[in-house]
Each structure stands twice: as structure tokens, then as C-alpha cells.
Amino acid sequence: MMDEATQALHARITQGMPERLILAEMEDLRPYECDGLAVYRQLPRLVVLPETIEQVQHVLRSCCALGVPVVARGAGTGLSGGALPHADGVVLSLAKFNRVLAIDPLARTARVQPGVRNLAISQAAAAYGLYYAPDPSSQIACTIGGNVAENAGGVHCLKYGLTVHNIRALEVVTIDGERLRLGGEALDAAGYDLLALLTGSEGLLGVVVEVTVKLLPKPQLAQVVMASFDHVDVAGAAVARIIAAGITPGGLEMMDNGCIRAAEDYLHAGYPVEAAAILLCELDGTAEEVAEDLARVETLLREAGATALQVSRSEEERLRFWAGRKAAFPAVGRISPDYYCMDGTIPRRELPRVLNGIAALGEKYRLRVVNVFHAGDGNLHPLILFDGNAAGELERAEHLGAEILELCVAVGGAITGEHGVGFEKINQMCVQFAALELEQFHALKHAFDPQGLLNPGKAIPTLARCAEYGAMRVSRGELPFPELERF
Amino acid sequence: MMDEATQALHARITQGMPERLILAEMEDLRPYECDGLAVYRQLPRLVVLPETIEQVQHVLRSCCALGVPVVARGAGTGLSGGALPHADGVVLSLAKFNRVLAIDPLARTARVQPGVRNLAISQAAAAYGLYYAPDPSSQIACTIGGNVAENAGGVHCLKYGLTVHNIRALEVVTIDGERLRLGGEALDAAGYDLLALLTGSEGLLGVVVEVTVKLLPKPQLAQVVMASFDHVDVAGAAVARIIAAGITPGGLEMMDNGCIRAAEDYLHAGYPVEAAAILLCELDGTAEEVAEDLARVETLLREAGATALQVSRSEEERLRFWAGRKAAFPAVGRISPDYYCMDGTIPRRELPRVLNGIAALGEKYRLRVVNVFHAGDGNLHPLILFDGNAAGELERAEHLGAEILELCVAVGGAITGEHGVGFEKINQMCVQFAALELEQFHALKHAFDPQGLLNPGKAIPTLARCAEYGAMRVSRGELPFPELERF
């Protein structure tokens, strides 16, 4: 049974879109209660699945008029709780916006709806020898709209950049139902760079209803070298050597022993299970360029102390080397009842220090942490293993995660690399930013959404919340557990 | 003699910085009355030349308290009047912020003060085999702070991106004198992307006091092929072929006959003076990669109808090929008493149509236009030749320029590529953007500068001004001449 407020909202929304596109029953709402960060769950009042931009405008205008929060949602693969529903709000799913509208091989762009899957763009562009570069691990499932909201990255963003570097235009609907076109076909646009501002804004400034992405010519060849090391520090230093030598690999990834073993058990990719760490270094370009870079990288890795090197000799072998890395999260899911995937970014030079710090924090909280990350970017993904059924383990995992993020900030890094802040890291924003910077964020939010209806409680904490978090950290000497009831 | 308001301002500013850093005499103010767009001139009340960030904070706090406009200025090489002083305001010169603070070869970054010249960054980084990629024609003189304000480009931004793609962090002072750090050492930052928002904001949101730029490894080799064509349309179509073939040249520039002749007379670079147009296509990378791309480009150019090809066979020859292009503006300055350099961007496929349109507009206004541009990017720089001493020629040149920009908008392009909107193109912003989009820009400006003191009258027109401009265009069937008194 809908309560009165929900009934009023439902009645209003049905004025502008068919009732079949509005979900209100408990069993229909259930699939939307969380995103990829499933430890947080919340049912919304309603889920709407508009099919046209006009319907999106109508939903936003209705919510704006009634003061109802709106959480936009793509595929729900996000890992920071950015699409966690609001108890008083509407979930606006873009799932039905799933068409590739146009591919322009001369401009090297694709115009797509936000619900198109990341990988589907490259599949559609393949006929022209083009592809879309950013490749999150979830690229089979995640949508480009969600990629824009989180400024998603992937294995290849060391060389090819994050989402913000790979999009050219957005169409956005504001909370009052107006359409804005940001960016355009031309290389640069006049006016403030709202395109970049909206990218990574986690659904707090507007709802993306169309995306024009840049496409790149496919490299002629890509090869991967897999290097084994007997210590993670040594592997970290090897990353530094490659970069300092002026080489920009297509991807440069690290996995530690725990992660290597989990992946190998799961997929049998041929990983060296005795190694303390492996580096996967992909080089792409023309055949000659790859051969030359490969020779240099092999020498650098040996000099850096690699104990073994393997080079992919076929496309099949290259994909096998990557398969273990891409499946690292599910592989770890098999060795632990639960795991919690962190996402932080640090300056490359701090890799050894932070890896040692994470190990020490794991001991402090009596939890195992395995590491897999975009080493070239300094983008870490520590996976905290825990058992949600064991009393206190989830809380310990969250405290450990918070301390890892705060360690990233302490060494000059950031609390997110590609997953966003969402609901998960809202407290750590208080550590990352000064009050003055948060005030500027709020002023900017107010310029787009004065009532604060778009994804409230995510990404940017209130100053009151930060004061509370600061006081807790000081008085208890520990990190608080963020309670869902707070917002 | 200072008037009363200027005296009060002077007195206030001297409370926080030495008097020798404040200019108030007519002869001292004169060098600041215009930037590179010298047709517009205006003396400010005062020019201040702070030496420390604390002094910048003090100046901004003083202006904020007294409600005085502030125009920040780098080297004053801008071409859109962005640094044109305000009659009631202060010019805040960053000239004394001219130190390279640190170069980090592992992070591939340089931390510099905003008054450091663009080329000086690459010179400082050369010891590490690194360089800063964006290279405006004015790179010997222009400063990185100005580059950030205008989101500057250059010959190589087709492959390496604009300024926004090549910076990692900014330190900014707000109008109320507070310091904000935007971006950081890590690959990505949490919160809204204020780094991108500030880049290209033309001094309307804050004053940049430190910049961390990305550095790139120098390509091992670069070679240029110069192709001659007997028609500009054919050269335009050749650009399309190269891009569609999946090649991304380091630079891809076009010059038409008028520009070729002017450059050749000036510099004797060996340009073919009979050609209707030339393309300069630079390929960079490893020796093998360059050789392979060069062979493909030569074939594509011949198939596209090039009448002659020359390839640089030495670094000296490569620099000679570029010398004519880089000196195109001063070369044109020798053949005409005055010239007006436009800057618009169009989708690549529209090159032939827009080039023909520009020729037709030149005839309509009875003025000669020569063309030099970043063809690969679709970034045009038509140079309008006129004689400022001939009655009505400046007005005709300005009307012609306005119509060229509006043609760019009509084909889906933008009124700026790399020079910014500044004072020059404020009316064309009314053509580029709808009222709703301009309102969003104003809301955003208000979040940073509620009194509107930072560079007022530039970049973003008021809705009233746009209404007026629209009415003029309709009623008179002509374009108005922007009058300095208006702001």
C-alpha cells in the first residue's frame, strides 16, 4: 500500500507518462534497493523508467514541484553507493535509453543514449576501426551514463584518460526540467566548462540524457608483459622506473599474492602463484613501436628485480593474461564470504609506503586485505575480506576502509580514483577538503539545484556532518560507522 | 591626479603591500590599457603587481570590500580582449609570479607560478626528456596563467589536447581572498571538477596563483610533410581523409594562398607561392612509427589531389617548415596596415563549406581575408585585412568577423577555439547559447563572485545585452558595433 505522499507523487507522475513505466510494488522496487555496494540498502517510494527525454523532464518537474528527492540510475554497477535510493524519493532509471544514435567516423564520435553499455559503444564502432577507450572492469554491464556520473576509468586510462577526457558533449535535464546542451562537435566550447563539471558530479547537478563520446582508432597491435616479483615494494619501484624512462604503457596493473592466487584458482590464466606480486604491462601501437617499447620494458623490469617475465605471443594469450586481472573481484569473492572494494589514488612515488601502510592497517583491524590496482595511475583497489555474518566484522571492514582512504589523503592522494564518493565515502570528503572548499561545492550545487533534490546525501557532505565526524574522530579515537538513518 | 575613489582604493591596498608595487600614474598605466586585441583600449584606476600570494589575497579582499572590479593579467598576449582593463577597476598583473617551483620527473609534472612563460616550462623540463605539450603561437611570450584562463591550444593540440587536458592542479584565490586548491597529484580528484571549470573561465571565477602542469616524454622523432593543393576545398577534403584513415598527426595545419605568400615574403621558408593552399602534417613517435605513418600520409595526400609533396629530412628543415606557419600573424601584419585575427571552431566535415562562406563574406564587406588554421581540429583563424585609418574599415572588419563567427555557430561549431570570448565575442555568445544556458552560467558565476567583480563585461553576456543584440540584428538587418561605453 502506498502512503499518502507516495500516492500524490504517483498521481502527478502518471499525468505525463504511462503507468506501466512507474513501479510502486515492493517486489518491483526490491531490485533497485542497492547498487554494487550492496551493504547499503534502501527502498525508494517509486521507480520510474521513462522512455523519452520529455518523460524525464516531466518526472524531474514533478519531483521539483513536490520537493521529492531524485536518484538517477544506470546499470547499478557502481561501487560507492551513488545510486542508493532515498527513502522519500524516486529512482529514475535510464535503462530504456539504450540506443546508439549515430557514429561519425570522420569526427570520430558516437552519439549515444545514457543507458547504452560501455562495451556496446566499442562494438558498434568496430566496423569503422574505432573504439571507446575507457574500460571499467564492469564494461560489459555498466552504462555510459553511469560512467559520466562517476567519471569512470579502467585499465587503459593511464594512456587514454578518464571518462572526462573521452567525451565531447552531453545533453542534461536540470531539476526544473530544462534541457541543457554542454560541449559540442567543435574541439572547444565557449562559456564555462559545464561538460567537465557535470562529468563525475554523481547525479547531483542534473540527469544525463545523451552523451557524445570520442572514439579512437584501434591500435594495430597490443602485447602484454607479465613480470613476477618477490616483494610488492620492488614491483612498486619497477612501475616508477618504467614511467621515469618516458614510456606510457596502455595499461600498467599490479596484483599482490592474495589476488594472484584467487584469480589463478578461479580462471587458470597461468599466473605465477608463488610471486609476491605481478605487474601486467601492456604496450600498444604499431608493430615496430610495440617491439621497441617491449624490449625497453623487459630490460627495465629485469633491472628492477623481476624474477620472471612472460610476454604474450598472440592475441589469445594477451586476453588470457588480462582475464585474471579483469576477474579479480569475482575471484576474490570465491575465497571470502564478503569483500569490500576500496578505491583511492596516490602519487606514484608513494606506492611502497602506502602498500606497507595498508598491510599494517589490516593487522590492526585483524582483516585480510588483497591488492589489485592500476599501478601506473597510482589508483589502488584494496579488497578487504570479511564475513558479514561474524559479529563486528562489517564494522571493522568499514573502519579499515576509512583509514585506508585517509592514508591516501595523508600522502597527497585522493579518496577516489574512478568509483566516486557516493554514499560510501561521504565522511572521508571531510578529511579530503577544507570547510572553505566544501562551501564552494555547496554554492555550486545551489546554482544547479537550489532545493537539493538531486541525489541528496551523496558525494558532498554538509559542514554539520563534517563537524560531527571530526568530533567523533577526536573524542573516540576511532572512526564512526556511517548510519543510513542520518539522511 | 587620482580621483577620490581611486585614492581610497590606493590607500586601502597600500595597507597590505609596498607602494612600489602599485602603479597609478598615467604613463605607468598606459602599457596595460590593452592586450593583444589592441583595437580596444581602456585605462584602469590602478595596476598592482603583487609578489606573494598573501598580497594577491589582500588586493582581492580590498576590491571585494570596496566593490571594485578586478582584471587579472598575464603577459597580455590574449587576442580577445580578455585582459582589457575596466575603467573603474584594478588590473592585477601576475608578472612577478615567474618561478618554476618544482619538476617531478616521476609524476611527470611541473609546479609553476602563473607568470611563467609557456616555453620556459618546456625549457626547464628538457633536462628530464620531458616537455609541456600545448604550444600557442605566442608561446615565447604568453604565460601559463593566461593559458589556463583562456584554455589555450596550439599546433599540437589535435593529438595532445588543450590546456585543460594538460594540467593537474591549480591554486586559486577567490574574490573574497580565500585560497582554494583544485585537483591534485592524484589522477582523479573527489568533488566537482572545479579544475576544469576554472580552466577557460577567463578570469571570471578566481585568480590563478599556482599551476601544476602535466609533462610528456619528448617524441623520439618528428617529421613534417608539406602538401600543395590547387584549391582550398581539395586541401580540406585531404584533412578528412587523413583523420578517417585512423591517423592522428601531431599537428595538421592549413594555410591559403594569401597566407602562404605573406609568410614566404617574410621568412623564405621555401613555401610554394603558387599553391592555392598548403597542408603541414607533422607525424611524431618512434622512427619506425613516423616512417610508417609518413608513407601512409603521402599516399593519402596524393590520392586526395596534392600537386606536390615535400618531407622534412632534418630537424632544421622541420623547424623551417613550421617557421612560416608560426610567424603567419606577423607576416600578414607586413602586407596590411591592420589585421583582425578571428578564432572559431567547426566540425571538420564543414571545412570546405565554411571556407567558401568566409570568401563570400569577404566580398560582401569588401575586405580581404587570408586563412591559416589548425585544420585537424577544425579551429579556424581567418585574418581580416583592413586599414584602421580608412573611414569605416574597422567597423566593416568587425561586422565581417561577427558574421564569420555566426557562420561557425550555424554549422554546429563554436565561437572560440583557443582565444576565448573576452570582450570581443560577447555578442556572439548570444548566438551560441540559449537564454537558459546563459542563466545557468550566471548562476554559476554567482556561486563564485556574487558581486560580479571579477572581469565584468567579459565572456558571458547579460540577458539584457543579448535581447538588445537580437533586436538590433532583426531591426537593422546588420550587426552592431560593440561600444566600449556599454560596460
Side-chain angles (χ1 to χ4, degrees):
Chain A
M1 279 303 298
M2 287 190 269
D3 61 29
E4 213 168 297
T6 307
Q7 277 173 18
L9 179 65
H10 189 277
R12 172 123 194 179
I13 292 177
T14 50
Q15 287 168 20
M17 62 189 282
E19 201 170 338
R20 66 179 167 83
L21 302 176
I22 308 167
L23 310 179
E25 299 295 326
M26 176 76 84
E27 66 268 27
D28 296 329
L29 299 179
R30 190 64 70 193
Y32 296 89
E33 71 176 348
C34 68
D35 62 11
L37 184 66
V39 291
Y40 303 113
R41 291 168 189 271
Q42 175 63 57
L43 287 175
R45 283 187 190 278
L46 299 174
V47 173
V48 297
L49 293 137
E51 294 177 321
T52 66
I53 293 176
E54 291 70 26
Q55 290 172 356
V56 173
Q57 292 177 285
H58 169 70
V59 169
L60 289 168
R61 277 196 202 107
S62 304
C63 291
C64 191
L66 299 174
V68 170
V70 183
V71 179
R73 180 184 170 104
T77 55
L79 292 170
S80 61
L84 181 72
H86 192 287
D88 298 325
V90 167
V91 166
L92 195 171
S93 165
L94 281 305
K96 290 181 185 287
F97 283 78
N98 59 358
R99 286 187 306 127
V100 174
L101 300 171
I103 291 184
D104 181 339
L106 177 54
R108 286 191 194 156
T109 56
R111 204 160 55 79
V112 304
Q113 292 187 316
V116 170
R117 291 173 303 105
N118 173 296
L119 191 61
I121 301 175
S122 291
Q123 286 165 343
Y128 305 95
L130 299 171
Y131 78 112
Y132 175 65
D135 56 343
S137 298
S138 57
Q139 70 177 144
I140 299 173
C142 66
T143 62
I144 188 69
N147 290 179
V148 169
E150 303 300 327
N151 193 17
V155 161
H156 290 90
C157 64
L158 170 61
K159 185 165 183 177
Y160 298 106
L162 298 165
T163 302
V164 70
H165 305 112
N166 288 278
I167 59 172
R168 185 138 249 180
L170 291 177
E171 182 153 2
V172 170
V173 179
T174 61
I175 186 64
D176 50 356
E178 303 290 355
R179 290 166 75 154
L180 294 179
R181 279 207 64 86
L182 316 178
E185 277 198 277
L187 178 77
D188 194 16
Y192 304 121
D193 191 352
L194 299 189
L195 179 66
L197 182 65
L198 265 284
T199 307
S201 65
E202 305 197 24
L204 272 73
L205 303 182
V207 175
V208 173
V209 292
E210 190 181 297
V211 186
T212 303
V213 302
K214 298 180 194 171
L215 301 173
L216 292 180
K218 274 191 212 162
Q220 290 177 24
L221 179 69
Q223 273 184 286
V224 177
V225 51
M226 177 164 64
S228 307
F229 293 87
D230 52 18
H231 201 286
V232 287
D233 278 11
V234 182
V239 169
R241 276 197 190 223
I242 292 170
I243 301 293
I247 296 165
T248 305
L252 184 51
E253 301 282 308
M254 198 194 292
M255 295 166 74
D256 72 3
N257 183 266
C259 201
I260 296 166
R261 284 182 184 270
E264 185 60 20
D265 285 352
Y266 181 37
L267 274 180
H268 313 294
Y271 284 3
V273 293
E274 300 302 323
I278 58 170
L279 282 183
L280 291 165
C281 178
E282 180 161 295
L283 301 160
D284 60 11
T286 62
E288 294 79 4
E289 192 184 12
V290 171
E292 182 174 323
D293 280 354
L294 206 53
R296 291 178 67 203
V297 166
E298 286 186 77
T299 305
L300 288 164
L301 287 168
R302 277 206 195 86
E303 287 171 2
T307 54
L309 294 183
Q310 282 186 67
V311 177
S312 68
R313 293 296 169 198
S314 66
E315 184 62 9
E316 189 193 351
E317 198 171 19
R318 184 182 78 88
L319 295 174
R320 184 161 59 75
F321 281 10
W322 279 124
R325 165 64 187 87
K326 291 220 170 187
F329 295 177
V332 167
R334 293 171 73 242
I335 62 167
S336 173
D338 297 289
Y339 72 92
Y340 184 25
C341 173
M342 306 307 300
D343 167 49
T345 314
I346 57 170
R348 274 190 289 262
R349 65 171 174 279
E350 299 287 352
L351 271 179
R353 185 150 69 118
V354 171
L355 290 174
N356 291 331
I358 291 173
L361 287 169
E363 282 172 29
K364 172 177 164 187
Y365 286 99
R366 290 167 288 124
L367 289 170
R368 199 170 152 214
V369 184
V370 304
N371 286 291
V372 49
F373 47 89
H374 310 311
D377 299 331
N379 182 194
L380 312 180
H381 291 312
L383 300 171
I384 301 170
L385 312 189
F386 70 98
D387 180 353
N389 290 323
E393 282 213 8
L394 171 60
E395 288 76 5
R396 291 217 310 278
E398 290 182 316
H399 289 193
L400 170 53
E403 284 218 49
I404 289 173
L405 293 177
E406 293 170 20
L407 173 62
C408 291
V409 175
V411 301
I415 60 170
T416 176
E418 52 189 15
H419 298 176
V421 172
F423 177 68
E424 176 196 27
K425 301 172 185 170
I426 194 93
N427 284 335
Q428 280 66 51
M429 285 292 281
C430 311
V431 180
Q432 180 95 68
F433 292 102
L436 191 72
E437 290 158 334
L438 293 171
E439 277 172 21
Q440 192 56 54
F441 288 150
H442 288 297
L444 202 149
K445 164 81 167 171
H446 191 264
F448 282 82
D449 176 20
Q451 290 187 79
L453 296 176
L454 288 167
N455 217 5
K458 315 285 177 63
I460 313 284
T462 61
L463 294 179
R465 182 175 185 134
C466 285
E468 204 179 322
Y469 183 64
M472 268 195 193
R473 289 172 87 212
V474 171
S475 72
R476 300 198 201 166
E478 63 167 41
L479 298 169
F481 170 48
E483 296 142 47
L484 209 54
E485 305 86 86
R486 281 243 189 104
F487 69 93
Chain B
M1 279 303 299
M2 289 190 267
D3 62 28
E4 213 170 297
T6 307
Q7 277 174 16
L9 179 64
H10 189 276
R12 172 124 193 176
I13 294 177
T14 50
Q15 288 169 19
M17 62 191 282
E19 203 170 336
R20 67 178 167 82
L21 301 177
I22 309 167
L23 310 180
E25 300 295 327
M26 177 76 83
E27 66 269 25
D28 296 329
L29 299 178
R30 189 65 71 192
Y32 296 89
E33 71 176 350
C34 68
D35 62 10
L37 184 65
V39 291
Y40 303 114
R41 290 169 190 271
Q42 175 63 57
L43 287 175
R45 282 187 191 279
L46 299 175
V47 173
V48 296
L49 294 138
E51 295 178 322
T52 66
I53 294 177
E54 290 69 27
Q55 289 172 356
V56 173
Q57 293 177 284
H58 170 69
V59 169
L60 289 168
R61 279 198 199 105
S62 303
C63 291
C64 189
L66 299 174
V68 170
V70 182
V71 179
R73 179 184 172 105
T77 56
L79 292 169
S80 61
L84 180 72
H86 191 288
D88 299 325
V90 167
V91 167
L92 195 171
S93 164
L94 280 306
K96 291 181 183 286
F97 284 76
N98 60 357
R99 286 187 305 127
V100 174
L101 300 171
I103 292 184
D104 181 340
L106 177 54
R108 286 191 195 156
T109 56
R111 203 158 56 76
V112 303
Q113 292 187 316
V116 170
R117 291 172 303 107
N118 173 296
L119 191 61
I121 300 174
S122 291
Q123 286 166 343
Y128 305 95
L130 300 170
Y131 77 113
Y132 176 65
D135 56 346
S137 298
S138 57
Q139 70 178 141
I140 297 173
C142 66
T143 62
I144 188 69
N147 291 179
V148 169
E150 302 299 327
N151 193 16
V155 162
H156 290 90
C157 64
L158 170 62
K159 185 165 181 177
Y160 297 104
L162 298 166
T163 302
V164 69
H165 305 115
N166 288 279
I167 58 171
R168 186 137 250 180
L170 291 177
E171 182 152 2
V172 171
V173 179
T174 62
I175 186 64
D176 50 357
E178 301 291 353
R179 292 166 74 154
L180 294 179
R181 278 208 66 87
L182 316 177
E185 277 198 279
L187 179 76
D188 193 16
Y192 303 121
D193 191 351
L194 300 190
L195 179 66
L197 181 65
L198 266 282
T199 306
S201 65
E202 304 197 22
L204 272 76
L205 303 181
V207 175
V208 173
V209 291
E210 191 181 297
V211 186
T212 304
V213 303
K214 296 181 195 171
L215 301 173
L216 293 179
K218 274 190 211 162
Q220 289 176 25
L221 180 69
Q223 274 184 283
V224 178
V225 50
M226 177 164 65
S228 306
F229 294 87
D230 51 18
H231 201 287
V232 287
D233 277 14
V234 182
V239 169
R241 275 197 192 222
I242 291 169
I243 301 293
I247 296 165
T248 305
L252 184 50
E253 301 282 309
M254 198 193 294
M255 295 165 74
D256 73 3
N257 182 267
C259 200
I260 296 167
R261 284 184 185 268
E264 184 60 20
D265 285 350
Y266 181 38
L267 274 181
H268 314 294
Y271 285 4
V273 293
E274 300 302 322
I278 58 171
L279 282 182
L280 290 165
C281 178
E282 179 161 296
L283 301 160
D284 61 9
T286 63
E288 295 77 4
E289 192 185 11
V290 171
E292 184 174 322
D293 280 355
L294 206 52
R296 292 178 66 205
V297 165
E298 287 185 75
T299 304
L300 287 163
L301 288 169
R302 279 208 194 82
E303 287 172 2
T307 54
L309 293 183
Q310 281 187 66
V311 177
S312 68
R313 294 297 169 197
S314 66
E315 184 61 8
E316 189 193 349
E317 199 171 18
R318 183 181 79 87
L319 295 175
R320 184 161 58 76
F321 282 10
W322 280 123
R325 164 66 187 87
K326 290 219 171 188
F329 296 177
V332 168
R334 292 171 72 242
I335 63 168
S336 173
D338 298 288
Y339 71 92
Y340 184 26
C341 172
M342 307 304 301
D343 167 51
T345 314
I346 57 170
R348 273 189 290 265
R349 65 170 175 280
E350 300 288 353
L351 271 179
R353 185 148 71 112
V354 171
L355 290 175
N356 291 330
I358 290 173
L361 287 170
E363 282 171 31
K364 172 175 165 190
Y365 287 99
R366 292 168 287 124
L367 289 172
R368 199 168 154 218
V369 183
V370 304
N371 285 291
V372 49
F373 47 89
H374 310 312
D377 298 331
N379 182 192
L380 312 181
H381 292 311
L383 300 172
I384 301 171
L385 311 190
F386 70 98
D387 179 353
N389 290 322
E393 283 214 8
L394 171 61
E395 288 76 4
R396 293 216 310 278
E398 290 182 316
H399 288 193
L400 170 52
E403 284 217 49
I404 290 174
L405 293 178
E406 291 169 20
L407 173 63
C408 291
V409 175
V411 301
I415 60 169
T416 175
E418 50 188 15
H419 297 175
V421 172
F423 176 68
E424 176 195 26
K425 302 172 185 171
I426 194 93
N427 283 335
Q428 281 65 52
M429 286 292 282
C430 310
V431 180
Q432 180 95 69
F433 292 103
L436 191 73
E437 290 158 333
L438 293 172
E439 277 171 19
Q440 192 56 56
F441 287 150
H442 288 296
L444 202 149
K445 164 81 168 172
H446 191 263
F448 282 82
D449 177 20
Q451 291 187 77
L453 297 177
L454 288 167
N455 217 4
K458 315 286 178 63
I460 313 285
T462 61
L463 294 179
R465 182 176 185 132
C466 286
E468 204 180 320
Y469 182 63
M472 270 195 192
R473 289 172 86 210
V474 170
S475 71
R476 302 199 199 163
E478 62 166 41
L479 298 170
F481 171 47
E483 294 140 48
L484 208 55
E485 304 86 86
R486 281 243 189 104
F487 68 96

